[in-house]
Amino acid sequence: MTVTVIGAGLAGCEAAWQLAERGFEVRLVEMKPTKMTPAHHSADFAELVCSNSLRGDRLENAVGLLKEELRRLKSLILTCAEANRVEAGGALAVDRYGFSGMVTEKIRSHPKITVVEEEVTKIPEAPVIIATGPLTSDAMSAAIQDYFGGQKYMSFFDAAAPLITFESIDMEKAWFASRYDRGDADYVNCSMEKDEYIAFVEALKTAEEAPVHGFEDKHVFEGCMPVEVMARRGEDTLRYGPMKPVGLKDPKTGKEPYAVVQLRKDNALGSVYNLVGFQTHLKFPEQKRVFSMIPALHDAEFVRYGVMHRNTFLDSPRLLDRYYADRRNPLVAFAGQMTGVEGYVESTASGYLAAVSMAAKLQGTPVPDFPKQTAIGALAQYISDTSIGSFQPMNINFGIMDPLGYKVKGKANKNLAIAERSLAIIDQMLREHTI
Ligand SMILES: Cc1cc2nc3c(=O)[nH]c(=O)nc-3n(C[C@H](O)[C@H](O)[C@H](O)COP(=O)(O)OP(=O)(O)OC[C@H]3O[C@@H](n4cnc5c(N)ncnc54)[C@H](O)[C@@H]3O)c2cc1C
């Protein structure tokens, strides 16, 4: 039996791998490199289009729990991420090229996976998993719309942060540290005095934005808001957001600075850094002008400027079930960001769950039941929750998981207890071979 998977992104690669590992022939169809989305640049699979971080790695953190569940479930993406880890304090950040290269190599060399390089423009015959991502090509978007009988899509913007070379940072004005000195000193911290910060915020507010083509709605996605939009929301918004100084002491003064821009390693070599949380839609010369006002970045060399892109996702609660499948046809499933999960790890998790569910349906065995006490199950139940009226994409968070049902003192302890409960369920499912 052959299963078609469309899109070799994070969700598609995970789905293809899980199906192949369960003995299915997989036809993985990817339009790169013949056709590229506005954010994809490499021919490799599972390309990280923006940050090189898969976010927090502690169990008190919901995305840390989701990652640990995926590790235990033998996720391809997590295995390759671990193998290409770069230091990033309490986060799992990767060398983006090493990571994508390894995923590509594993997929291409799997005896059960055949890669087809073409743009898919209509929904193929079932069984199929569609994982064409937030930048699904126009023809495929139209085909999916037709398939659902004109069901409306929502489009809005995501924003990506600029990259600069390490050697162009003035390290006389910056220092290495992680917030609260947790973990290794992985971040380059660029401090700002009050007058520097106020001038910077003013410049951001008035800097020229790039024109926006093809969208009537300039709605900004709250989870990935451009810095210029934050600056316009109030003088202190950035100081409480990406420029937060708490937990960082400038070794020169021994004091917490007024504001801090943090830079994180973007490749294993440490030659390229990204401006953490600095997604932006400013015109490129304006980015150079305004970001060079950060004292340590007065001569910054930009490897890539920040950009903004479309994000396409389904109204999943109306369309999909908790296995990411079409409610009308269980052998047509969707996975990844287009289902309304938000983020690299979440996209991976949906690819995993869609694939193992599809495999069970095809084998005639019970479909694995990931309850809402697990992060992976909670996410699937969130996107298929019919009680949600106006559906918005969601990162994993403890709020969508089942509560503990008993009191635990302190938020971190409570989250840890939720995480331990979840991992015990996953371990039991693995022991009893129900996955
Ligand atoms: C600009 C941008 C920045 C983002 N930044 C972050 C971030 O920093 N951190 C984070 O956690 N998440 C981020 N996201 C959100 C999301 O996590 C990523 O987009 C993630 O890559 C989604 O995984 P996916 O597998 O759903 O899609 P993708 O990884 O995009 O994979 C989809 C694949 O399908 C292919 N494809 C598209 N149409 C067709 C077609 N018709 N036929 C064949 N192939 C096709 C594409 O070429 C692509 O390879 C960002 C999203 C965008 C758009």
Side-chain angles (χ1 to χ4, degrees):
M1 162 93 52
T2 301
V3 182
T4 303
V5 175
I6 313 174
L10 293 157
C13 287
E14 187 65 50
W17 181 262
Q18 296 302 335
L19 284 160
E21 289 286 282
R22 283 163 178 74
F24 293 93
E25 294 291 335
V26 178
R27 196 172 151 264
L28 176 61
V29 195
E30 167 58 54
M31 67 180 187
K32 294 197 306 178
T34 319
K35 186 165 179 171
M36 295 284 196
T37 78
H40 289 85
H41 303 293
S42 126
D44 278 347
F45 303 154
E47 188 177 344
L48 301 178
V49 289
C50 179
S51 167
N52 66 328
S53 170
L54 275 68
R55 317 205 312 278
D57 213 14
R58 296 157 186 272
L59 286 181
E60 303 92 295
N61 181 325
V63 78
L65 169 62
L66 185 59
K67 282 202 282 287
E68 182 54 28
E69 291 179 6
L70 286 167
R71 274 187 203 105
R72 294 188 188 197
L73 294 167
K74 299 198 169 48
S75 151
L76 169 73
I77 295 297
L78 260 290
T79 304
C80 297
E82 288 297 349
N84 288 281
R85 205 183 243 276
V86 295
E87 309 78 33
L92 171 55
V94 301
D95 176 329
R96 66 175 75 231
Y97 308 108
F99 165 73
S100 296
M102 184 173 172
V103 175
T104 309
E105 203 276 317
K106 290 222 170 233
I107 291 278
R108 285 200 185 273
S109 61
H110 198 294
K112 295 259 172 203
I113 302 177
T114 306
V115 175
V116 179
E117 268 175 26
E118 68 183 28
E119 180 189 2
V120 178
T121 56
K122 55 181 196 220
I123 312 279
E125 259 177 45
V128 60
I129 297 179
I130 299 160
T132 42
L135 305 168
T136 295
S137 72
D138 291 346
M140 189 59 178
S141 294
I144 296 170
Q145 244 167 336
D146 280 355
Y147 173 77
F148 282 119
Q151 179 67 45
K152 277 205 172 146
Y153 276 83
M154 287 172 266
S155 297
F156 55 92
F157 293 98
D158 262 346
L163 301 180
I164 59 168
T165 59
F166 176 70
E167 59 179 14
S168 70
I169 303 167
D170 182 350
M171 288 305 290
E172 293 284 303
K173 297 187 159 73
W175 79 101
F176 278 104
S178 281
R179 217 177 279 281
Y180 299 111
D181 290 326
R182 266 190 203 140
D184 296 330
D186 296 329
Y187 291 82
V188 173
N189 299 283
C190 311
S191 59
M192 276 179 148
E193 304 282 352
K194 185 173 180 182
D195 55 338
E196 292 165 339
Y197 172 80
I198 289 171
F200 178 68
V201 169
E202 271 312 304
L204 265 182
K205 274 160 66 179
T206 52
E208 210 181 332
E209 285 178 81
V212 175
H213 299 296
F215 303 98
E216 301 97 350
D217 178 13
K218 285 197 177 186
H219 180 69
V220 171
F221 180 42
E222 293 282 333
C224 206
M225 190 185 289
V227 276
E228 59 274 14
V229 176
M230 283 193 227
R232 278 184 229 119
R233 294 210 165 174
E235 188 179 289
D236 283 331
T237 308
L238 282 164
R239 281 201 335 117
Y240 286 100
M243 295 180 71
K244 170 170 78 181
V246 289
L248 292 166
K249 261 198 201 126
D250 189 333
K252 283 220 176 72
T253 61
K255 284 195 208 139
E256 197 176 277
Y258 192 74
V260 174
V261 176
Q262 285 202 300
L263 311 177
R264 184 174 52 224
K265 224 186 242 185
D266 206 78
N267 59 359
L269 209 59
S271 57
V272 176
Y273 273 70
N274 60 59
L275 279 69
V276 179
F278 265 59
Q279 302 87 358
T280 177
H281 187 47
L282 295 182
K283 281 189 164 174
F284 292 171
E286 287 288 78
Q287 290 188 34
K288 178 144 185 63
R289 178 178 70 82
V290 179
F291 298 146
S292 300
M293 292 171 73
I294 300 163
L297 303 189
H298 55 90
D299 277 333
E301 181 197 342
F302 290 79
V303 175
R304 188 184 73 195
Y305 286 103
V307 282
M308 290 185 68
H309 294 287
R310 187 184 61 173
N311 188 354
T312 307
F313 63 98
L314 296 167
D315 186 16
S316 295
R318 254 56 62 195
L319 307 173
L320 306 182
D321 64 19
R322 58 185 288 204
Y323 309 109
Y324 294 94
D326 177 6
R327 290 177 187 275
R328 305 162 307 175
N329 185 348
L331 297 185
V332 176
F334 291 78
Q337 181 99 353
M338 64 159 14
T339 65
V341 300
E342 171 65 38
Y344 298 150
V345 184
E346 290 84 345
S347 295
T348 302
S350 75
Y352 175 91
L353 200 148
V356 299
S357 306
M358 177 75 78
K361 288 177 213 167
L362 294 171
Q363 282 159 340
T365 54
V367 180
D369 179 27
F370 288 97
K372 243 176 121 175
Q373 293 151 323
T374 61
I376 190 170
L379 204 53
Q381 294 193 39
Y382 169 75
I383 67 97
S384 56
D385 181 350
T386 50
S387 71
I388 296 172
S390 170
F391 181 61
Q392 284 299 313
M394 182 73 95
N395 283 122
I396 187 62
N397 62 81
F398 287 112
I400 63 169
M401 296 180 68
D402 270 349
L404 273 181
Y406 57 90
K407 279 219 176 318
V408 173
K409 222 174 166 192
K411 198 170 156 197
N413 290 335
K414 190 180 84 186
N415 292 348
L416 257 184
I418 294 176
E420 278 160 12
R421 178 187 65 180
S422 163
L423 294 175
I425 293 170
I426 300 278
D427 288 347
Q428 188 180 358
M429 289 173 83
L430 286 166
R431 260 194 324 272
E432 294 172 356
H433 303 290
T434 51
I435 299 172

